[in-house]
Amino acid sequence: MASITLSARSLAALLGQWKSAAPAYRGLADRIRLLVLDGRIPVGTRLPAERELAERLGLSRTTVTAAYRELREAGYLRSIRGSGSVTLLPSAPVSLAPVPQGGFLDFSKAAVPPCPEIIDAVQAAAADLPRYMHDFDYDLVGMPELRQAIADRYTARGLPTDPDEIMVTVGAQHAIALIARTLLSRGDRVLVEMPSYPHAYEALRAAGARLGAATVSSETGWDVRELEQWFERTSPAMAYLMPDFHNPTGASMPLETRRRVAAAAQRHGTVLVIDETTAELDIDRPTDEGLDGTPFAALAGAPASIVTIGSVGKTIWGGLRIGWIRAERGTIRKLVSARSLGDLGTPILDQLTVQQLLPAMDGIVARRGQALGETRDRLVDLLAERLPDWTVPRVDGGIATWVNLGEAASSQLSLAARGHGLVIVAGPRFGIDGAFERYLRIPISYPWAQTEQAVELLTETWNSAMFGHVPALDYLEDVV
């Protein structure tokens, strides 16, 4: 059974400017396939009837029938007489890493390569593991030593923290989902940024939240008055924000804006969920902005009403699935009580590995910042040379740059790039209801050789006949 039914009107809005040089039925099939692949149409969604969609798009029914047939043959659609057509993902091999030669270069994930200290840390953790094998197995809050180390790091950064205010999670996404299902009730309003991290939207919606969005721009950042108006009009139960090196724009929230947002949240009883997974990836943020890596909760002046999310996924390595939540003790107790519904704790070996690495974090993040800066500078120069009509912001930290293409072509470009061997996520994946067709997120976290190759493939795609038909590909990706 399909859990979601998509009307012809809603699908037409998601399709946007879908027509290309390809025959209409292929262009329509390609765009629906992209919407399924990047999650804008969830798997299990019932699509509108062929006649209904044809009328909405001004096409013949034969064209829509042919598009649906192509999607069925490629494994993206299942049609059952009397039940309509339901979206699927094809049962095809999943490529797990960039394959520059003879395969796909995967730029759908803004991920960092593992830091060199990991091997020694894993070996030290494995040597320490026997001490925990007899009396430490299922634990919902995290190892005491690791929670102390995380708390000490917050304290050193200007936010006094006790280990009882820390919960260790299986990465940041686990933390977001746990917070959402524990602290929200169905129908609660949640303020989010737009664009933002797509899986945060998904976790909040899965908890039954009604999302309201405030815009973030690479050029101007946040409109503090717009944020305050959202609090005043809706009194949201929660706000999910990424104030440092925001993903995907790279913007950082000014100090005064942080204070005003925290004050508005406090007035309206809103829980502020602050995602700081990218907060330490500073390249060259101006020091006169008063933002020196101090956690949001310390700068905002209202730490009791703020829940902070951290992770090693964007600093040490995404394959090390360790994140954490910092919150007041009562909130941590609620999260611990709710956690067993979804999992029974965080892997011990991973926790021991991160415990080994935390003392070296200052050096790790400093090297990350240097590497990100070098890639950013070379990427800005190369895009200016190869694609001069694009507007490329020079971000001062974070993992990606939010490029303005100059026209509403992001989904079309993303789909066509697959035919040239590049997987990259279209801008609307980071928005709500199909916004950001003029934007493309390009990671700056990959080694330069891969980044340079990605630009070459983008240039090749952009300069091809805008953009032609792309054959179905046995490739599925996620967004990080």
Side-chain angles (χ1 to χ4, degrees), residues 55 70 121 156 162 189 227 248 254 259 267 350 363 376 392 415 417 420 423 429 458 464 466 470:
E55 291 175 355
E70 182 154 308
D162 187 270
R189 291 186 179 275
L227 287 166
R259 290 171 175 158
R267 286 196 303 271
D350 283 18
R376 174 205 61 189
V392 186
L415 183 60
H420 293 262
V423 179
R429 182 70 172 104
L458 282 172
S464 64
M466 286 283 282
V470 182

Side-chain angles (χ1 to χ4, degrees), residues 195-266:
S196 188
Y197 179 50
H199 294 314
Y201 292 153
E202 293 164 2
L204 294 165
R205 283 172 169 153
R210 293 182 293 162
L211 304 186
T215 56
V216 183
S217 163
S218 295
E219 295 78 20
T220 60
W222 293 256
D223 183 333
V224 65
R225 186 58 191 145
E226 180 189 11
L227 287 166
E228 290 176 327
Q229 287 173 347
W230 270 108
F231 285 105
E232 292 164 8
R233 289 198 306 265
T234 66
S235 295
M238 181 180 291
Y240 169 83
L241 305 174
M242 193 179 296
D244 289 285
F245 312 124
H246 173 266
N247 181 11
T249 69
S252 288
M253 185 181 288
L255 180 57
E256 180 59 25
T257 301
R258 296 170 194 243
R259 290 171 175 158
R260 289 172 64 174
V261 167
Q266 201 163 32

Side-chain angles (χ1 to χ4, degrees), residues 24-69:
Y25 80 92
R26 285 182 173 173
L28 179 58
D30 282 344
R31 182 55 61 90
I32 293 174
R33 177 163 55 86
L34 176 65
L35 293 172
V36 172
L37 278 171
D38 72 11
R40 283 180 273 166
I41 297 179
V43 172
T45 297
R46 179 181 289 112
L47 298 185
E50 294 168 1
R51 178 179 287 109
E52 180 186 359
L53 183 59
E55 291 175 355
R56 168 60 62 173
L57 298 178
L59 301 171
S60 69
R61 184 177 177 183
T62 302
T63 298
V64 177
T65 298
Y68 278 20
R69 181 174 62 248

Side-chain angles (χ1 to χ4, degrees), residues 91-396:
S91 54
V94 178
S95 178
L96 299 178
V99 187
Q101 300 297 327
F104 294 100
L105 182 61
D106 181 7
F107 261 52
S108 66
K109 303 171 180 66
V112 296
C115 69
E117 292 90 343
I118 283 184
I119 299 301
D120 288 344
V122 170
Q123 291 172 346
D128 199 27
L129 184 61
R131 294 199 299 122
Y132 298 88
M133 295 184 71
H134 299 294
D135 57 0
F136 195 93
D137 40 30
Y138 303 117
D139 177 72
L140 297 173
V141 67
M143 293 174 51
E145 300 93 329
L146 179 56
R147 287 188 291 118
Q148 181 68 64
I150 294 170
D152 289 345
R153 189 159 174 77
Y154 274 112
T155 300
R157 292 171 58 207
L159 181 61
T161 301
D162 187 270
D164 290 342
E165 297 172 306
I166 299 293
M167 170 190 267
V168 180
T169 62
V170 188
Q173 180 60 27
H174 175 225
I176 297 169
L178 178 60
I179 290 166
R181 72 170 185 260
T182 303
L183 303 185
L184 291 174
S185 298
R186 187 159 295 277
D188 279 350
R189 291 186 179 275
V190 176
L191 173 62
V192 297
E193 298 152 327
M194 190 171 74
S196 188
Y197 179 50
H199 294 314
Y201 292 153
E202 293 164 2
L204 294 165
R205 283 172 169 153
R210 293 182 293 162
L211 304 186
T215 56
V216 183
S217 163
S218 295
E219 295 78 20
T220 60
W222 293 256
D223 183 333
V224 65
R225 186 58 191 145
E226 180 189 11
L227 287 166
E228 290 176 327
Q229 287 173 347
W230 270 108
F231 285 105
E232 292 164 8
R233 289 198 306 265
T234 66
S235 295
M238 181 180 291
Y240 169 83
L241 305 174
M242 193 179 296
D244 289 285
F245 312 124
H246 173 266
N247 181 11
T249 69
S252 288
M253 185 181 288
L255 180 57
E256 180 59 25
T257 301
R258 296 170 194 243
R259 290 171 175 158
R260 289 172 64 174
V261 167
Q266 201 163 32
R267 286 196 303 271
H268 294 278
T270 301
V271 176
L272 278 180
V273 177
I274 303 300
D275 188 334
E276 294 187 339
T277 55
T278 58
E280 295 188 80
L281 296 177
D282 191 336
I283 298 173
D284 51 12
R285 181 163 55 183
T287 56
D288 59 3
E289 293 182 359
L291 303 174
D292 56 358
T294 304
F296 181 101
L299 295 172
S305 61
I306 297 172
V307 177
T308 301
I309 295 170
S311 166
V312 300
K314 302 298 187 188
T315 51
I316 293 177
W317 182 41
L320 197 56
R321 303 305 303 149
I322 295 291
W324 54 83
I325 299 168
R326 185 207 180 274
E328 54 90 22
R329 290 173 176 81
T331 299
I332 294 294
R333 286 194 293 270
K334 288 180 183 178
L335 295 167
V336 170
S337 297
R339 181 171 180 174
S340 61
L341 295 174
D343 73 286
L344 295 175
T346 308
I348 303 302
L349 186 59
D350 283 18
Q351 292 189 69
L352 288 170
T353 301
V354 172
Q355 185 182 332
Q356 293 284 336
L357 288 165
L358 282 182
M361 277 295 287
D362 287 344
I364 292 171
V365 298
R367 291 198 307 274
R368 289 291 187 209
Q370 181 178 357
L372 291 166
E374 291 172 357
T375 300
R376 174 205 61 189
D377 293 343
R378 298 173 76 176
L379 176 64
V380 169
D381 291 343
L382 187 59
L383 286 173
E385 175 190 335
R386 301 296 170 82
L387 296 159
D389 293 334
W390 290 10
T391 301
V392 186
R394 189 179 183 275
V395 297
D396 53 24

